[in-house]
């Protein structure tokens, strides 16, 4: 029997959340003033949670490593946020959003959590609009929607290609209101370096002031981690440079189980790698797949001509192009889910059809959309639909209105005009579906320690559909945690402030100081980035889009060896008592070097292919992911001193309301 | 490409600071400006020296973290981009490049090229929000129809990333473009009307207290804004401010 208690309420799926809210403990408003909550991370999940808990009356202390909460990496999300509003009347419903999300996650997410997510999704849109988030509108003044990969309805709300920015600024504004009222105390440029556990409960954190280097103790009745994902373990990814796993990893070392670490989303529409100097990858919203057609040349000779510059993609005739997604998946075409689109691109490039110098790029082509929209506009305006120039100009205008900022971004990076020549794209690490294990209340296996948004594991399964991350971040922060945390805090109304002079705080602070001293006094010969890049190469080559037993075993050994070398030979310049970016980075890379090993261990254990997790040994004859029913569980790892000694726990996944079927997008 | 970098080095807020020369070779035109600085920093670390501190995070032009005054211009020689979107193909082999932090009294230097922009946060805390309870019990989103034109204009104002290029470019270190963007976003939306008077008065008051100068009407802010926030917003804020002052 598993020791993991998911605390899923009983009763029919559609009533679980309502029933749970009716039954859990409430905290009297006067008593909320006696309770402190620490929130680490101020993105969509952490920011919205901070604002809401402060609004409810709790004393919130919020921490972020950026110079302002407005800069959390949620700001970079482009495409949109899903909600089962059915404003378009195309058959959407809570059940369908739930169904698509569970199916899209390849039946590896928790049913009750996902249903709740779908249920509160409509509230999110109402909330954001009330806050003044400027979503796209139709001419009639109502909200506009678009569709996204993996679904057949238009349920995605958006603000051009900057939806994450607008939603984050909404949460930031809600936080500002509470900071102005004195209900949130904001600690910017602070990094959490440990959780303090007192009598088995999370009671505070040790944080480092990144400007002065000071080590600080902060206590609270509960600690919430909204610290995002750990994709930067791959070095190259679409994550912000500072995104890290440190807070979650330190929590793991204090007893929080880490679930499904190997579940990583590889996003299909990123700008390809251009060289060794590359520091990060840039994503192009997959909303582009609504209008762009993905192809590579059919013939190797054309590929070679393109690579040596003697042929332009626009010169390749229609019949000489392989629109491989439309060919393989006629029902969904270019709108297949991310894992399917990513793997298909890799398959073509591995077969030698990649169109850039490194052979790792495919085309995303808007010529057909420009022509289609142009003809439509010419017709509406009573102009000549056969005049190529008129049609192209009008079509470009429509495409510019939809994706202008993305096209501009592409042109700046690649130095090519995507209105004239097809974009080049390639998959890149973009999101981690694994994270700290949480129960239905979003509490980790450490009482009083919560994980929300990308930092937890529960909602996306083995794959994440487009526009669902923003939905989960805000659902957790605005609408789920504020209820569920009350159930726990109701027992703390008489506790009083938590003292920070206890032996537990001493011990945690000493540990943090020792770790920092070790890094700063190491005086090795190689930079932090040197080790980070090497870790990234192992992760991408052996734990990336496709994995196999042999390479995963190699990865485990190599990462452990690299970690040893890191501690022998890393050089961190400067001192600990100042603004020291290298020191901050060194601590983060040290944690990636541990997480990376657990990641590979988890991938090795999972002998099946599910969603973004593709084990080469387990595929269908058609090269699709082969899920195995015996692996229908969550892997939750318990820390025992070293990643190699982590103990494996399983939470079986039960699907009572959905028939588990083979996922097909044909 | 081989370049000479002239970089502002300043140990901390109290240090006087000075320009230091760094020659750098073998830079690819495909690198971003920040990747070029990464290369420099790796060289410095290799020599046992302290790398140059600079602010950066998303590296895709949206978080507003990167700052850098490059050859006398905020975010460098191109318009409508951040420093992370600037590529080395904008420079020539043999160029000398000056790299300085944002210069404004309200943005004190933290270290080298890193400045403290928390004054921007405090202006937002003074009123850059709509006071709605985050309860999820608000009215249906489509019950607040908004003219597309206004929604689009509000969005354009809302795209401000709070980088501070407007302040750095202004000879008076004015924050008017930044503040007016938020004021405009809410002034254009029905949700923002109820608190409009207090909002503009409080935000402008805070802006003055933080030590930002007055608008010079030069328009450098608009030219250097990576998101193309328009001067129209300043005009709108002035109208809002006047109306609020008369009411108040």
């Amino acid at each position: 029997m598993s020791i993991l208690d998911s605390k899923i309420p009983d009763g029919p799926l559609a009533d679980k959340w309502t029933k749970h809210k009716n039954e859990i403990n409430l905290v009297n408003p006067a008593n909320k003033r006696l309770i402190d909550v620490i929130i680490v991370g101020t993105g969509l999940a952490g920011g919205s949670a901070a604002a809401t808990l402060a609004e409810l009356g709790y004393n919130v202390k919020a921490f972020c490593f950026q110079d302002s909460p407005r800069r959390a990496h949620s700001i970079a999300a482009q495409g949109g946020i899903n909600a089962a509003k059915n404003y378009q009347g195309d058959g959407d419903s809570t059940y369908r959003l739930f169904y698509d999300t569970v199916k899209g996650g390849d039946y590896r997410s928790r049913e009750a959590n996902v249903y709740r997510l779908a249920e509160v999704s409509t509230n999110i849109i109402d909330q954001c609009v009330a806050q003044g988030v400027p979503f796209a509108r139709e001419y009639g003044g109502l909200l506009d929607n678009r569709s996204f990969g993996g679904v057949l309805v238009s349920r995605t709300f958006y603000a051009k290609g900057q939806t994450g920015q607008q939603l984050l600024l909404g949460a930031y504004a809600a936080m500002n209101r509470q900071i102005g009222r004195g209900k949130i105390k904001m600690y910017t440029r602070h990094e959490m370096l440990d959780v303090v556990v007192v009598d088995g409960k999370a009671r505070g954190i040790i944080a480092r002031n990144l400007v002065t280097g000071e080590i600080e103790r902060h206590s609270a009745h509960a600690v919430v981690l909204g610290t995002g994902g750990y994709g930067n373990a791959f070095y190259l990814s679409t994550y912000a440079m500072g995104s890290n796993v440190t807070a979650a990893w330190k929590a793991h070392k204090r007893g929080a189980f880490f679930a499904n670490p190997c579940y990583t989303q590889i996003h299909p529409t990123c700008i390809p790698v251009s060289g060794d100097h590359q520091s990060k990858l840039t994503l192009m919203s997959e909303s582009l797949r609504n209008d762009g057609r993905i192809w590579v040349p059919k013939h190797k000779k054309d590929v070679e001509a393109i690579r040596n510059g003697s042929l332009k993609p626009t010169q390749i005739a229609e019949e000489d192009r392989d629109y491989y997604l439309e060919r393989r998946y006629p029902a969904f075409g270019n709108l297949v889910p991310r894992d399917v689109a990513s793997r298909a691109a890799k398959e073509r490039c591995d077969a030698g059809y990649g169109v850039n110098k490194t052979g790792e790029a495919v085309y995303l082509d808007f010529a057909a959309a420009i022509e289609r929209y142009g003809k439509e506009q010419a017709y509406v305006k009573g102009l000549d639909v056969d005049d190529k120039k008129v049609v192209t100009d009008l079509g470009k205008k429509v495409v510019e209105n939809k994706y202008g900022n993305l096209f501009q971004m592409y042109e700046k990076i690649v130095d090519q005009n995507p209105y004239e020549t097809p974009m080049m794209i390639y998959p890149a690490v973009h999101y981690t579906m694994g994270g700290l294990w949480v129960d239905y209340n979003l509490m980790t296996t450490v009482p009083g320690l919560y994980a929300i948004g990308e930092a937890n594991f529960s909602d996306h399964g083995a794959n994440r559909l487009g526009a669902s991350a923003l939905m989960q971040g805000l659902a957790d922060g605005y609408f789920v945690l504020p209820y569920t945390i009350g159930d726990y805090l109701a027992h703390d109304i008489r506790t009083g402030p938590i003292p920070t002079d206890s032996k537990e705080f001493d011990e945690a602070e000493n540990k943090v100081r020792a770790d920092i001293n070790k890094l700063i006094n190491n005086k090795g010969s190689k930079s932090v980035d040197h080790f980070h890049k090497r870790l990234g190469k192992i992760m991408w080559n052996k734990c990336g889009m496709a994995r196999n037993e042999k390479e995963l075993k190699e990865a485990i050994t190599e990462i452990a060896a690299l970690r040893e070398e890191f501690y022998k030979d890393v050089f961190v310049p400067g001192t600990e008592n100042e603004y020291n970016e290298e020191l901050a980075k060194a601590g983060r890379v040290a944690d990636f070097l541990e997480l990376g090993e657990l990641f590979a261990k988890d991938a090795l254990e999972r002998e099946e292919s599910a969603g973004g997790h593709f084990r080469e040994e387990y595929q269908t004859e058609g090269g699709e992911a082969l899920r195995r029913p015996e692996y229908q569980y969550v892997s939750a790892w318990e820390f025992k001193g070293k990643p190699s000694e982590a103990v494996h726990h399983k939470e079986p996944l039960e699907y009572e309301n959905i028939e588990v079927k083979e996922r097909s997008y044909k | 490409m081989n370049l000479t970098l002239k970089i502002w080095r300043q140990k901390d807020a109290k240090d006087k600071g000075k320009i230091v020369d760094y020659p750098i070779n073998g830079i690819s035109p495909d690198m971003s400006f920040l990747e070029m600085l990464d290369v420099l920093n790796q060289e410095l670390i290799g020599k046992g020296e302290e790398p140059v501190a600079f602010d950066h995070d998303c590296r895709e032009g949206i978080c507003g973290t990167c700052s850098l005054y490059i050859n006398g211009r905020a975010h460098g020689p191109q318009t409508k981009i951040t420093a992370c979107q600037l590529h080395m193909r904008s420079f020539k082999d043999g160029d000398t490049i000056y790299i300085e932090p944002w210069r404004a009294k309200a943005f004190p230097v933290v270290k080298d090229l890193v400045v403290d922009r928390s004054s921007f946060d405090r202006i937002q805390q003074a009123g850059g929000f709509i006071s709605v309870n985050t309860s999820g019990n608000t009215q249906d989103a489509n019950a607040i129809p908004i003219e597309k034109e206004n929604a689009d204009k509000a969005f354009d104002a809302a795209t401000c990333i709070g980088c501070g290029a407007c302040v750095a470019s202004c000879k008076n270190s004015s924050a008017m473009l930044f503040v007016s963007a938020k004021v405009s976003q809410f002034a254009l939306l029905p949700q923002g009307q109820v608190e409009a008077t207090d909002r503009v008065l409080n935000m402008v008051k805070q802006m003055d207290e933080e030590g930002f100068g007055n608008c010079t009407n030069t328009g450098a802010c608009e030219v250097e804004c990576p998101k193309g926030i328009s001067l129209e917003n300043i005009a709108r804020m002035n109208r809002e401010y006047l109306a609020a002052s008369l009411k108040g």
Side-chain angles (χ1 to χ4, degrees):
Chain A
M1 184 61 197
S2 168
I3 60 165
L4 295 166
D5 179 4
S6 64
K7 299 206 176 68
I8 295 169
D10 49 20
L13 186 65
D15 301 334
K16 281 183 197 290
W17 179 228
T18 308
K19 178 171 174 283
H20 192 60
K21 282 193 291 183
N22 287 337
E23 288 173 359
I24 57 182
N25 293 310
L26 294 180
V27 182
N28 163 342
N31 287 332
K32 285 182 184 142
R33 290 195 288 269
L34 305 176
I35 290 177
D36 305 322
V37 181
I38 283 173
I39 296 180
V40 186
T42 55
L44 286 178
S48 57
T52 309
L53 292 177
E55 171 112 45
L56 287 170
Y58 297 105
N59 308 311
V60 174
K61 299 181 199 178
F63 294 79
C64 69
F65 70 78
Q66 297 90 347
D67 71 325
S68 164
R70 69 174 294 146
R71 309 207 198 280
H73 195 52
S74 303
I75 205 158
Q78 294 170 353
I81 176 165
N82 285 336
K85 281 280 198 185
N86 196 27
Y87 279 161
Q88 305 303 331
D90 53 2
D92 202 8
S93 64
T94 300
Y95 181 83
R96 276 190 196 274
L97 175 51
F98 155 73
Y99 178 87
D100 286 343
T101 308
V102 173
K103 177 189 168 197
D106 222 346
Y107 308 94
R108 294 291 178 262
S109 45
R110 196 189 277 151
E111 203 178 41
N113 288 54
V114 177
Y115 193 88
R116 173 174 68 188
L117 176 68
E119 199 178 335
V120 303
S121 66
T122 56
N123 283 356
I124 299 173
I125 305 303
D126 297 344
Q127 183 67 46
C128 294
V129 167
Q131 286 170 346
V133 171
F135 283 119
R137 299 262 166 181
E138 308 259 18
Y139 277 96
L142 301 181
L143 289 152
D144 196 9
N145 291 110
R146 59 184 173 199
S147 64
F148 245 66
V151 295
L152 298 172
V153 292
S154 273
R155 63 160 71 103
T156 306
F157 294 78
Y158 67 101
K160 281 203 180 150
Q162 299 168 15
T163 316
Q165 180 196 25
Q166 294 310 321
L167 294 173
L168 181 69
L169 293 181
Y172 166 69
M175 280 184 83
N176 281 331
R177 178 167 161 249
Q178 302 299 336
I179 295 171
R181 293 174 64 208
K183 289 304 294 178
I184 296 178
K185 180 134 177 49
M186 186 65 226
Y187 296 85
T188 57
R189 293 199 196 264
H190 272 68
E191 185 148 58
M192 178 193 132
L193 294 179
D194 209 350
V195 188
V196 182
V197 180
V198 180
D199 296 333
K201 291 176 178 174
R203 291 302 199 186
I205 63 169
I206 304 294
R208 180 165 178 269
N209 179 330
L210 294 172
V211 177
T212 63
E214 219 170 310
I215 306 295
E216 302 172 0
R217 303 176 179 200
H218 296 276
S219 69
H221 298 88
V223 176
V224 181
L225 303 184
T227 49
Y230 46 86
N232 270 344
F234 287 82
Y235 187 72
L236 284 184
S237 76
T238 68
Y239 285 77
M241 302 298 285
S243 298
N244 63 82
V245 76
T246 290
W249 191 253
K250 295 290 160 54
H252 174 56
K253 287 178 138 180
R254 293 276 175 198
F257 290 5
F258 210 106
N260 300 333
C262 79
Y263 282 177
T264 308
Q265 176 178 80
I266 315 275
H267 197 289
T269 55
C270 301
I271 298 178
V273 176
S274 71
D276 277 343
H277 59 268
Q278 199 110 11
S279 60
K280 77 153 271 157
L281 299 172
T282 301
L283 176 127
M284 306 292 291
S285 167
E286 73 166 349
S287 63
L288 292 171
R289 286 199 279 143
N290 278 329
D291 283 313
R293 298 179 72 196
I294 294 174
W295 63 276
V296 290
K298 261 186 196 162
H299 311 294
K300 285 256 170 78
K301 66 170 177 33
D302 288 346
V303 174
E304 276 154 32
I306 280 176
R307 285 192 198 163
N308 68 30
S310 62
L311 189 70
K312 289 190 179 129
T314 44
Q315 294 170 316
I316 298 181
E318 195 63 21
E319 62 273 18
D320 296 327
R321 301 175 176 196
D322 177 14
Y323 294 95
Y324 58 87
L325 288 176
E326 296 167 39
R327 167 170 60 80
R328 282 174 65 176
Y329 311 100
F332 282 73
N334 294 298
L335 286 175
V336 291
R338 294 175 172 182
D339 63 311
V340 177
S342 296
R343 257 197 313 280
K346 181 174 191 291
E347 189 276 327
R348 281 294 79 193
C349 291
D350 287 351
Y353 294 90
V355 292
N356 68 349
K357 276 183 194 142
T358 60
E360 290 190 331
V362 299
Y363 287 128
L364 178 64
D365 195 338
F366 288 85
I370 288 171
E371 193 185 331
R372 188 176 77 243
Y373 286 126
K375 281 201 165 149
E376 197 179 295
Q377 285 296 309
Y379 184 79
V380 169
K381 292 187 160 62
L383 300 169
D384 181 4
V385 294
D386 294 321
D387 184 330
K388 210 165 167 121
K389 183 166 177 344
V390 168
V391 166
T392 311
D393 288 349
L394 288 170
K396 280 183 185 167
K397 201 84 213 142
V398 175
V399 168
E400 190 189 338
N401 274 333
K402 290 182 114 172
Y403 313 112
N405 58 331
L406 299 168
F407 276 46
Q408 207 186 1
M409 187 169 86
Y410 179 86
E411 187 167 359
K412 276 171 196 157
I413 294 174
V414 184
D415 207 21
Q416 284 182 6
N417 180 350
Y419 294 99
E420 305 292 339
T421 185
M423 283 183 182
M424 288 180 292
I425 54 165
Y426 197 69
V429 171
H430 179 59
Y431 195 91
T432 46
M433 286 80 66
L436 294 177
W437 185 90
V438 290
D439 63 17
Y440 190 71
N441 292 324
L442 306 182
M443 188 152 84
T444 67
T445 44
V446 176
L449 180 66
Y450 291 79
I452 58 178
E454 192 181 352
N456 76 25
F457 86 100
S458 57
D459 291 16
H460 300 302
N463 182 37
R464 190 178 79 70
L465 290 184
S468 63
L470 306 189
M471 175 170 66
Q472 192 215 341
L474 290 179
D476 286 0
Y478 281 137
F479 306 127
V480 180
L481 180 83
Y483 277 99
T484 59
I485 202 170
D487 190 46
Y488 173 81
L489 292 173
H491 304 289
D492 262 328
I493 56 175
R494 291 193 189 82
T495 307
I498 309 291
T500 56
D501 56 0
S502 61
K503 64 176 193 312
E504 291 85 357
F505 271 94
D506 290 345
E507 188 269 322
E509 182 179 327
N510 290 340
K511 168 103 181 57
V512 165
R513 285 187 188 280
D515 286 351
I516 289 174
N517 286 336
K518 193 168 161 190
L519 291 170
I520 210 98
N521 296 323
N522 199 51
K523 307 295 176 217
S525 69
K526 295 197 180 74
S527 72
V528 175
D529 278 7
H530 165 89
F531 291 99
H532 197 178
K533 282 183 184 175
R534 280 171 62 194
L535 172 66
K537 287 225 164 77
I538 303 174
M539 295 296 292
W540 181 249
N541 292 332
K542 300 186 172 172
C543 314
M545 287 174 70
R547 307 149 184 189
N548 60 55
E549 185 185 341
K550 179 175 161 282
E551 290 185 350
L552 286 168
K553 283 182 172 160
E554 287 165 9
I556 290 171
T557 321
E558 288 169 23
I559 295 169
L562 184 63
R563 194 168 59 235
E564 214 168 291
E565 200 187 324
F566 172 84
Y567 282 109
K568 268 192 202 133
D569 201 21
V570 73
F571 168 60
V572 181
T575 70
E576 67 272 41
N577 303 315
E578 62 174 341
Y579 185 87
N580 187 338
E581 288 172 349
E582 284 297 304
L583 176 59
K585 223 158 54 176
R588 294 168 190 164
V589 171
D591 291 335
F592 280 134
L593 283 164
E594 293 186 356
L595 164 92
E597 189 180 332
L598 185 69
F599 185 119
K601 187 177 156 93
D602 184 51
L604 179 65
E605 188 278 335
R606 194 161 281 275
E607 294 184 329
E608 66 163 350
S609 295
H613 169 106
F614 195 73
R615 272 289 288 270
E616 285 165 351
E617 303 93 322
Y618 304 95
Q619 52 182 308
T620 65
E621 276 175 23
E624 306 294 339
L626 182 68
R627 213 179 41 235
R628 295 172 68 197
E630 55 271 48
Y631 283 85
Q632 191 169 303
Y633 55 72
V634 176
S635 286
W637 299 91
E638 181 183 5
F639 186 75
K640 288 283 181 193
K642 274 196 228 162
S644 58
E645 286 159 13
V647 174
H648 189 203
H649 300 277
K650 294 175 188 175
E651 177 197 338
L653 290 166
E654 280 147 30
Y655 295 94
E656 293 164 8
N657 298 276
I658 277 188
E659 187 197 345
V660 179
K661 287 194 285 208
E662 191 180 324
R663 210 160 59 114
S664 167
Y665 293 90
K666 303 212 184 232
Chain B
M1 293 195 283
N2 300 331
L3 306 162
T4 304
L5 306 176
K6 288 179 171 289
I7 303 180
W8 184 259
R9 299 302 305 259
Q10 183 175 342
K11 201 166 170 36
D12 53 36
K14 286 178 209 132
D15 184 32
K16 211 163 148 239
K18 61 171 193 282
I19 293 274
V20 178
D21 289 11
Y22 297 97
I24 187 166
N25 302 327
I27 295 301
S28 147
D30 288 334
M31 285 182 193
S32 74
F33 198 83
L34 302 189
E35 284 167 347
M36 183 274 292
L37 287 179
D38 291 342
V39 172
L40 171 73
N41 278 344
Q42 289 302 307
E43 278 183 19
L44 292 177
I45 295 167
K47 287 190 274 185
E49 292 175 32
E50 275 207 48
V52 179
F54 62 99
D55 256 334
H56 61 97
D57 201 23
C58 80
R59 295 206 174 184
E60 43 188 271
I62 193 73
C63 73
T65 309
C66 59
S67 37
L68 301 191
Y69 215 59
I70 301 165
N71 283 345
R73 289 184 66 182
H75 299 304
Q78 308 284 332
T79 54
K80 292 197 178 171
I81 54 170
T82 55
C84 65
Q85 293 173 306
L86 176 66
H87 284 75
M88 295 314 291
R89 63 181 83 96
S90 298
F91 299 89
K92 293 192 305 289
D93 187 32
D95 273 359
T96 297
I97 307 174
Y98 282 84
I99 312 171
E100 300 164 81
W102 280 171
R103 293 176 294 189
K105 197 177 84 183
F107 290 162
V109 171
V110 173
K111 184 177 186 175
D112 297 340
L113 304 169
V114 176
V115 300
D116 176 357
R117 283 168 285 190
S118 52
S119 47
F120 268 17
D121 286 325
R122 289 188 292 273
I123 295 172
Q124 299 289 333
Q125 286 152 20
F129 48 79
I130 288 169
S131 299
V132 56
N133 193 316
T134 50
S135 61
N137 295 315
T138 44
Q139 62 188 320
D140 183 85
N142 261 350
I144 314 172
I146 300 170
E147 222 177 295
K148 181 166 164 47
E149 201 188 327
N150 281 347
D152 288 351
K153 274 192 197 159
F155 171 81
D156 288 341
T159 56
C160 167
I161 55 175
C163 63
C166 48
V167 174
S169 306
C170 177
K171 59 186 174 192
N172 235 2
S173 298
S174 169
M176 290 278 267
L177 194 68
F178 168 76
V179 181
S180 72
K182 203 46 137 191
V183 168
S184 287
Q185 180 195 342
F186 292 146
L188 287 158
L189 296 173
Q191 304 94 306
Q193 298 308 317
V194 185
E195 299 167 284
T197 304
D198 283 351
R199 174 177 306 114
V200 69
L201 293 177
N202 290 340
M203 289 181 80
V204 169
K205 182 165 165 270
Q206 188 66 37
M207 173 179 85
D208 291 341
E209 280 173 14
E210 294 291 347
F212 291 104
N214 263 324
C215 177
T216 62
N217 293 315
T218 322
C221 54
E222 184 186 41
V223 175
E224 298 298 359
C225 173
K227 296 297 153 183
I229 305 287
S230 149
L231 283 177
E232 275 174 41
N233 292 301
I234 296 186
R236 189 177 294 107
M237 180 170 85
N238 285 334
R239 288 198 298 276
E240 290 279 317
Y241 187 76
L242 182 65
S245 305
L246 293 174
K247 252 198 243 172

